[in-house]
Amino acid sequence: MSLSNQQYEAIMQDYERTRDYNRAVLDDRRKEVYDRLPELRDIDAATASTSVAHARLLMEGDDKAPARLHSVLEELSQKRAALLKSAGFSENYLNPIYTCQSCKDSGYITTPEGLKEKCQCFIRQELSVLYEQSHIQDMVSRENFSTLSFDYYEGEDLEHFKGAVRICRDFVQNFKQDYHNILFYGTVGTGKSFLSGCIARELLQAGHSVIYFSASGLFEALARYSFDAKGKKELSDFYEDLYNCELLIIDDLGTEVTNSFVASQLFSCLNERNLRSKATIISTNLSLEELRDRYSERVFSRIINSFRICKLTGPDIRMLKKRASGNVTYQKP
Protein backbone atom coordinates (compact mmCIF):
# COMPACT_ATOMS: atom_id res chain seq x y z
CA MET A 1 0.00 0.00 0.00
CA SER A 2 2.99 2.33 0.18
CA LEU A 3 3.84 4.60 -2.73
CA SER A 4 6.67 3.69 -5.04
CA ASN A 5 9.47 6.22 -5.42
CA GLN A 6 8.07 7.14 -8.81
CA GLN A 7 4.59 7.75 -7.41
CA TYR A 8 5.99 9.83 -4.55
CA GLU A 9 8.06 11.95 -6.95
CA ALA A 10 5.01 12.48 -9.15
CA ILE A 11 3.05 13.88 -6.19
CA MET A 12 5.94 16.16 -5.15
CA GLN A 13 6.30 17.42 -8.73
CA ASP A 14 2.61 18.24 -8.69
CA TYR A 15 3.19 20.36 -5.57
CA GLU A 16 6.05 22.13 -7.35
CA ARG A 17 3.81 22.90 -10.33
CA THR A 18 1.16 24.23 -7.94
CA ARG A 19 3.68 26.53 -6.25
CA ASP A 20 4.98 27.76 -9.63
CA TYR A 21 1.45 28.48 -10.80
CA ASN A 22 0.50 30.36 -7.63
CA ARG A 23 3.71 32.41 -7.76
CA ALA A 24 2.93 33.35 -11.38
CA VAL A 25 -0.59 34.44 -10.39
CA LEU A 26 0.84 36.55 -7.57
CA ASP A 27 3.43 38.14 -9.90
CA ASP A 28 0.63 39.11 -12.31
CA ARG A 29 -1.34 40.60 -9.44
CA ARG A 30 1.67 42.54 -8.20
CA LYS A 31 2.34 43.97 -11.68
CA GLU A 32 -1.32 44.94 -12.02
CA VAL A 33 -1.34 46.73 -8.66
CA TYR A 34 2.04 48.45 -9.14
CA ASP A 35 0.91 49.77 -12.53
CA ARG A 36 -2.16 51.33 -10.93
CA LEU A 37 -0.56 52.28 -7.60
CA PRO A 38 3.15 53.15 -8.08
CA GLU A 39 3.33 54.38 -4.49
CA LEU A 40 2.61 50.86 -3.28
CA ARG A 41 5.89 49.71 -4.80
CA ASP A 42 7.65 52.31 -2.63
CA ILE A 43 5.87 51.06 0.48
CA ASP A 44 6.90 47.45 -0.24
CA ALA A 45 10.48 48.54 -0.86
CA ALA A 46 10.48 50.51 2.40
CA THR A 47 9.13 47.49 4.27
CA ALA A 48 11.94 45.28 2.99
CA SER A 49 14.73 47.80 3.63
CA THR A 50 13.41 48.62 7.11
CA SER A 51 13.36 44.93 8.08
CA VAL A 52 16.96 44.47 6.91
CA ALA A 53 18.13 47.60 8.74
CA HIS A 54 16.55 46.62 12.03
CA ALA A 55 17.85 43.07 11.75
CA ARG A 56 21.35 44.51 11.46
CA LEU A 57 20.77 46.70 14.53
CA LEU A 58 19.53 43.67 16.50
CA MET A 59 22.68 41.74 15.59
CA GLU A 60 24.73 44.71 16.83
CA GLY A 61 23.07 44.50 20.22
CA ASP A 62 20.22 47.01 19.95
CA ASP A 63 17.54 45.31 22.07
CA LYS A 64 14.94 47.95 21.21
CA ALA A 65 15.17 47.25 17.49
CA PRO A 66 12.31 44.68 17.42
CA ALA A 67 9.87 47.08 19.09
CA ARG A 68 10.76 49.90 16.71
CA LEU A 69 10.54 47.55 13.74
CA HIS A 70 7.07 46.40 14.80
CA SER A 71 5.88 49.99 15.05
CA VAL A 72 7.27 51.00 11.66
CA LEU A 73 5.97 47.89 9.91
CA GLU A 74 2.53 48.34 11.44
CA GLU A 75 2.38 51.90 10.08
CA LEU A 76 3.51 50.78 6.61
CA SER A 77 1.00 47.91 6.67
CA GLN A 78 -1.86 50.28 7.44
CA LYS A 79 -0.84 52.59 4.59
CA ARG A 80 -0.60 49.61 2.25
CA ALA A 81 -4.05 48.30 3.21
CA ALA A 82 -5.61 51.74 2.78
CA LEU A 83 -4.10 52.13 -0.70
CA LEU A 84 -5.32 48.72 -1.82
CA LYS A 85 -8.80 49.38 -0.48
CA SER A 86 -8.99 52.79 -2.16
CA ALA A 87 -8.27 51.14 -5.52
CA GLY A 88 -10.89 48.43 -5.01
CA PHE A 89 -8.53 45.59 -4.05
CA SER A 90 -8.87 43.42 -0.96
CA GLU A 91 -6.28 43.89 1.78
CA ASN A 92 -4.84 40.41 1.17
CA TYR A 93 -4.79 40.70 -2.63
CA LEU A 94 -0.98 40.61 -2.69
CA ASN A 95 -0.55 38.01 0.06
CA PRO A 96 1.16 34.73 -0.92
CA ILE A 97 -1.28 32.34 -2.64
CA TYR A 98 -1.56 28.77 -1.41
CA THR A 99 -3.88 26.05 -2.66
CA CYS A 100 -3.50 24.38 0.76
CA GLN A 101 -3.17 26.82 3.64
CA SER A 102 -2.13 24.08 6.07
CA CYS A 103 1.10 23.02 4.39
CA LYS A 104 1.68 26.05 2.11
CA ASP A 105 1.71 23.63 -0.85
CA SER A 106 4.68 21.67 0.47
CA GLY A 107 2.80 18.46 1.33
CA TYR A 108 4.03 18.46 4.92
CA ILE A 109 3.08 20.23 8.14
CA THR A 110 5.01 20.73 11.37
CA THR A 111 3.38 19.38 14.53
CA PRO A 112 3.42 21.28 17.85
CA GLU A 113 6.21 18.89 18.86
CA GLY A 114 8.30 20.07 15.93
CA LEU A 115 7.89 16.89 13.88
CA LYS A 116 7.09 16.86 10.18
CA GLU A 117 4.14 14.81 8.99
CA LYS A 118 2.09 14.43 5.84
CA CYS A 119 -0.57 17.05 5.29
CA GLN A 120 -4.13 15.89 4.65
CA CYS A 121 -3.86 17.17 1.07
CA PHE A 122 -0.82 14.90 0.54
CA ILE A 123 -2.64 11.96 2.10
CA ARG A 124 -5.60 12.52 -0.24
CA GLN A 125 -3.29 12.46 -3.27
CA GLU A 126 -1.44 9.45 -1.91
CA LEU A 127 -4.64 7.56 -1.29
CA SER A 128 -6.09 8.46 -4.69
CA VAL A 129 -3.22 6.42 -6.13
CA LEU A 130 -3.92 3.62 -3.69
CA TYR A 131 -7.68 3.75 -4.44
CA GLU A 132 -6.90 3.19 -8.09
CA GLN A 133 -4.75 0.21 -7.19
CA SER A 134 -7.49 -1.31 -5.03
CA HIS A 135 -10.26 -0.58 -7.60
CA ILE A 136 -12.33 1.38 -5.08
CA GLN A 137 -13.17 4.07 -7.63
CA ASP A 138 -14.90 1.52 -9.85
CA MET A 139 -16.75 0.14 -6.86
CA VAL A 140 -18.14 3.45 -5.62
CA SER A 141 -19.21 4.51 -9.11
CA ARG A 142 -21.65 1.59 -9.09
CA GLU A 143 -22.41 1.24 -5.41
CA ASN A 144 -23.73 4.46 -3.91
CA PHE A 145 -26.85 5.88 -2.32
CA SER A 146 -28.10 7.20 -5.69
CA THR A 147 -28.40 3.63 -7.00
CA LEU A 148 -29.82 2.17 -3.78
CA SER A 149 -33.12 0.29 -4.15
CA PHE A 150 -35.45 -1.44 -1.70
CA ASP A 151 -37.20 -3.37 -4.49
CA TYR A 152 -35.40 -6.66 -3.87
CA TYR A 153 -36.47 -7.02 -0.23
CA GLU A 154 -39.68 -8.04 1.46
CA GLY A 155 -40.96 -8.44 5.01
CA GLU A 156 -38.29 -8.97 7.65
CA ASP A 157 -35.54 -8.79 5.03
CA LEU A 158 -36.75 -5.32 4.05
CA GLU A 159 -36.79 -4.16 7.68
CA HIS A 160 -33.21 -5.40 8.15
CA PHE A 161 -32.07 -3.55 5.05
CA LYS A 162 -33.87 -0.32 5.95
CA GLY A 163 -32.28 -0.41 9.39
CA ALA A 164 -28.84 -0.93 7.87
CA VAL A 165 -29.35 2.00 5.49
CA ARG A 166 -30.28 4.25 8.42
CA ILE A 167 -27.12 3.20 10.23
CA CYS A 168 -25.07 3.93 7.11
CA ARG A 169 -26.52 7.40 6.65
CA ASP A 170 -26.00 8.15 10.34
CA PHE A 171 -22.41 6.88 10.05
CA VAL A 172 -21.70 9.31 7.19
CA GLN A 173 -23.53 12.26 8.74
CA ASN A 174 -21.71 11.99 12.07
CA PHE A 175 -18.36 10.75 10.76
CA LYS A 176 -16.43 13.85 11.88
CA GLN A 177 -17.96 13.95 15.34
CA ASP A 178 -18.34 10.31 16.35
CA TYR A 179 -16.13 7.26 16.14
CA HIS A 180 -18.06 4.20 14.90
CA ASN A 181 -17.37 0.85 13.27
CA ILE A 182 -19.82 -1.34 11.37
CA LEU A 183 -20.03 -5.10 10.82
CA PHE A 184 -22.29 -6.20 7.96
CA TYR A 185 -23.00 -9.92 8.13
CA GLY A 186 -25.53 -12.27 6.59
CA THR A 187 -26.23 -14.38 3.55
CA VAL A 188 -24.59 -13.98 0.14
CA GLY A 189 -25.66 -11.12 -2.12
CA THR A 190 -27.84 -9.21 0.34
CA GLY A 191 -26.16 -5.79 0.02
CA LYS A 192 -23.27 -5.86 2.50
CA SER A 193 -20.55 -4.77 0.06
CA PHE A 194 -23.00 -2.41 -1.61
CA LEU A 195 -23.61 -0.49 1.62
CA SER A 196 -19.87 -0.33 2.29
CA GLY A 197 -19.49 1.25 -1.15
CA CYS A 198 -22.25 3.76 -0.40
CA ILE A 199 -20.40 4.94 2.70
CA ALA A 200 -17.04 4.98 0.92
CA ARG A 201 -18.34 7.21 -1.88
CA GLU A 202 -19.87 9.76 0.49
CA LEU A 203 -16.72 10.01 2.59
CA LEU A 204 -14.40 10.16 -0.41
CA GLN A 205 -16.40 13.03 -1.85
CA ALA A 206 -16.14 14.81 1.50
CA GLY A 207 -12.34 14.52 1.33
CA HIS A 208 -11.84 11.73 3.85
CA SER A 209 -9.22 9.02 3.41
CA VAL A 210 -10.73 5.60 2.67
CA ILE A 211 -8.89 2.37 1.92
CA TYR A 212 -10.68 -0.72 0.59
CA PHE A 213 -9.39 -4.29 0.77
CA SER A 214 -10.87 -7.64 0.04
CA ALA A 215 -9.98 -9.83 3.03
CA SER A 216 -7.88 -12.12 0.86
CA GLY A 217 -6.02 -9.16 -0.64
CA LEU A 218 -5.34 -7.64 2.77
CA PHE A 219 -3.87 -10.75 4.35
CA GLU A 220 -1.93 -11.69 1.24
CA ALA A 221 -0.28 -8.26 1.29
CA LEU A 222 0.45 -8.51 5.01
CA ALA A 223 2.00 -11.94 4.55
CA ARG A 224 4.06 -10.78 1.59
CA TYR A 225 5.55 -7.85 3.47
CA SER A 226 5.89 -9.67 6.79
CA PHE A 227 7.86 -12.63 5.47
CA ASP A 228 10.00 -10.72 3.00
CA ALA A 229 13.37 -9.99 4.58
CA LYS A 230 13.74 -6.96 2.33
CA GLY A 231 10.24 -5.66 3.01
CA LYS A 232 10.60 -3.99 6.42
CA LYS A 233 10.28 -0.45 5.05
CA GLU A 234 7.34 -1.44 2.84
CA LEU A 235 5.66 -3.17 5.81
CA SER A 236 6.14 -0.08 7.97
CA ASP A 237 4.56 2.14 5.29
CA PHE A 238 1.81 -0.41 4.79
CA TYR A 239 0.93 -0.38 8.49
CA GLU A 240 1.05 3.43 8.51
CA ASP A 241 -1.64 3.55 5.83
CA LEU A 242 -3.60 0.67 7.32
CA TYR A 243 -3.73 2.17 10.81
CA ASN A 244 -4.09 5.86 9.96
CA CYS A 245 -6.58 6.07 7.09
CA GLU A 246 -9.87 7.53 8.33
CA LEU A 247 -11.91 4.55 7.13
CA LEU A 248 -10.72 1.02 6.39
CA ILE A 249 -13.10 -1.35 4.58
CA ILE A 250 -12.41 -5.09 4.83
CA ASP A 251 -14.73 -6.83 2.40
CA ASP A 252 -15.70 -10.51 2.39
CA LEU A 253 -13.98 -11.48 5.61
CA GLY A 254 -13.89 -15.27 5.72
CA THR A 255 -13.04 -15.82 2.05
CA GLU A 256 -9.31 -15.81 2.82
CA VAL A 257 -7.35 -18.85 4.00
CA THR A 258 -7.63 -18.46 7.76
CA ASN A 259 -4.80 -19.44 10.09
CA SER A 260 -3.10 -18.19 13.25
CA PHE A 261 -1.24 -15.48 11.28
CA VAL A 262 -4.47 -14.12 9.81
CA ALA A 263 -6.26 -14.14 13.19
CA SER A 264 -3.33 -12.39 14.85
CA GLN A 265 -3.05 -9.74 12.12
CA LEU A 266 -6.80 -9.12 12.18
CA PHE A 267 -6.77 -8.56 15.93
CA SER A 268 -3.72 -6.26 15.71
CA CYS A 269 -5.37 -4.22 12.96
CA LEU A 270 -8.71 -3.84 14.76
CA ASN A 271 -7.08 -3.15 18.10
CA GLU A 272 -4.68 -0.54 16.76
CA ARG A 273 -7.37 1.26 14.78
CA ASN A 274 -9.61 1.22 17.84
CA LEU A 275 -6.84 2.81 19.94
CA ARG A 276 -6.47 5.52 17.29
CA SER A 277 -10.26 5.96 16.94
CA LYS A 278 -10.11 5.17 13.23
CA ALA A 279 -13.28 3.74 11.72
CA THR A 280 -13.47 0.26 10.21
CA ILE A 281 -16.20 -1.49 8.21
CA ILE A 282 -16.22 -5.27 7.82
CA SER A 283 -18.52 -7.31 5.62
CA THR A 284 -18.76 -11.09 5.86
CA ASN A 285 -20.99 -14.00 4.89
CA LEU A 286 -20.08 -15.74 8.14
CA SER A 287 -22.47 -15.96 11.05
CA LEU A 288 -21.45 -14.46 14.40
CA GLU A 289 -20.76 -17.96 15.72
CA GLU A 290 -18.54 -18.72 12.73
CA LEU A 291 -16.66 -15.47 13.26
CA ARG A 292 -15.94 -16.41 16.85
CA ASP A 293 -14.86 -19.94 16.01
CA ARG A 294 -12.68 -18.94 13.08
CA TYR A 295 -10.85 -15.89 14.43
CA SER A 296 -10.69 -16.52 18.20
CA GLU A 297 -12.61 -15.20 21.15
CA ARG A 298 -10.55 -12.02 21.49
CA VAL A 299 -11.15 -10.99 17.85
CA PHE A 300 -14.85 -11.72 18.27
CA SER A 301 -14.94 -9.73 21.51
CA ARG A 302 -13.26 -6.75 19.84
CA ILE A 303 -15.85 -6.78 17.06
CA ILE A 304 -18.88 -7.27 19.30
CA ASN A 305 -17.82 -4.52 21.70
CA SER A 306 -16.57 -1.97 19.16
CA PHE A 307 -18.83 -2.41 16.10
CA ARG A 308 -22.44 -1.72 15.27
CA ILE A 309 -23.78 -5.07 14.10
CA CYS A 310 -25.98 -5.10 10.97
CA LYS A 311 -27.53 -8.37 9.86
CA LEU A 312 -28.75 -8.56 6.26
CA THR A 313 -30.95 -11.34 4.95
CA GLY A 314 -32.84 -12.13 1.79
CA PRO A 315 -32.30 -13.45 -1.73
CA ASP A 316 -29.02 -13.15 -3.62
CA ILE A 317 -29.58 -9.78 -5.33
CA ARG A 318 -26.64 -10.21 -7.67
CA MET A 319 -28.21 -13.40 -8.98
CA LEU A 320 -31.63 -11.73 -9.32
CA LYS A 321 -30.06 -8.92 -11.38
CA LYS A 322 -28.26 -11.39 -13.60
CA ARG A 323 -31.45 -13.30 -14.22
CA ALA A 324 -33.30 -10.08 -15.02
CA SER A 325 -30.61 -9.13 -17.53
CA GLY A 326 -30.47 -12.61 -19.04
CA ASN A 327 -26.79 -13.05 -18.21
CA VAL A 328 -27.16 -16.21 -16.14
CA THR A 329 -25.60 -19.32 -17.59
CA TYR A 330 -26.94 -22.69 -16.46
CA GLN A 331 -24.85 -25.82 -16.33
CA LYS A 332 -26.27 -29.10 -17.62
CA PRO A 333 -26.95 -31.65 -14.86
Side-chain angles (χ1 to χ4, degrees), residues 167 171 179-183 247 270 273-274 277-282 302-303 306-309:
I167 288 174
F171 183 92
Y179 161 60
H180 290 304
N181 305 300
I182 299 177
L183 171 72
L247 173 63
L270 299 182
R273 289 187 62 79
N274 184 58
S277 296
K278 300 295 185 181
T280 304
I281 294 177
I282 297 174
R302 175 62 66 200
I303 291 174
S306 304
F307 283 67
R308 297 190 72 172
I309 310 299

Side-chain angles (χ1 to χ4, degrees), residues 183-184 186-189 192-194 196 212-217 219 249-258 281-286 291 294-295 318:
L183 171 72
F184 295 117
T187 49
V188 174
K192 301 181 293 296
S193 298
F194 177 87
S196 298
Y212 165 89
F213 270 112
S214 67
S216 58
F219 296 116
I249 297 175
I250 305 175
D251 196 25
D252 276 338
L253 185 67
T255 56
E256 78 289 345
V257 176
T258 308
I281 294 177
I282 297 174
S283 69
T284 181
N285 296 329
L286 301 176
L291 273 175
R294 182 174 295 202
Y295 297 102
R318 287 187 288 255

